[in-house]
Every structure is written in structure tokens, then in C-alpha cells.
Amino acid sequence: MKNSTIINISEVEKLFKEFCKENKIEFSENRFEEFLRFLEIDFYDWIKGNLSQFNKQ
């Protein structure tokens, strides 16, 4: 399997902007970058959890 992008940043930004609008939160690039860092941590934690479950099979 070759390298591929699994998260489309522009789609995440679109969802984040919609969330901000619906929740009356002012959108900013800095806030979005913070959210991306949060997602990155969450993504790696999710992978680690799945690896543990996979190993138990």
C-alpha cells in the first residue's frame, strides 16, 4: 500500500467552520490549527487502541 492521505484537511476545516457557525463561535486559523493538533493526538490514540485490540485476535 502506497502512502495516501486519509484525512482531507479542507474537509475538516469545512466541518470545523460549520461547527463554529452553529455554535456561535468565532472561527480563526489559530483555533483551527489547535483543533487539528487535537485530532492528531486523538487519531494516534485511536490507532494504538485498535492495535491492542488487533493483537488480541
Side-chain angles (χ1 to χ4, degrees):
M1 183 173 174
K2 293 186 178 196
N3 289 342
S4 64
T5 301
I6 55 175
I7 296 177
N8 183 321
I9 301 299
S10 61
E11 286 295 317
V12 173
E13 184 176 16
K14 180 181 172 185
L15 290 170
F16 185 75
K17 284 180 177 179
E18 287 175 13
F19 173 82
C20 288
K21 184 177 179 180
E22 290 169 2
N23 292 280
K24 298 179 179 149
I25 299 169
E26 185 175 341
F27 173 83
S28 74
E29 290 295 327
N30 286 339
R31 191 173 188 104
F32 178 62
E33 288 178 18
E34 279 182 43
F35 181 63
L36 287 178
R37 285 191 293 275
F38 173 81
L39 287 180
E40 186 175 281
I41 292 166
D42 189 51
F43 182 70
Y44 286 112
D45 288 345
W46 175 74
I47 290 173
K48 287 179 185 178
N50 280 308
L51 285 170
S52 295
Q53 292 301 315
F54 179 74
N55 193 39
K56 291 178 182 177
Q57 292 182 353

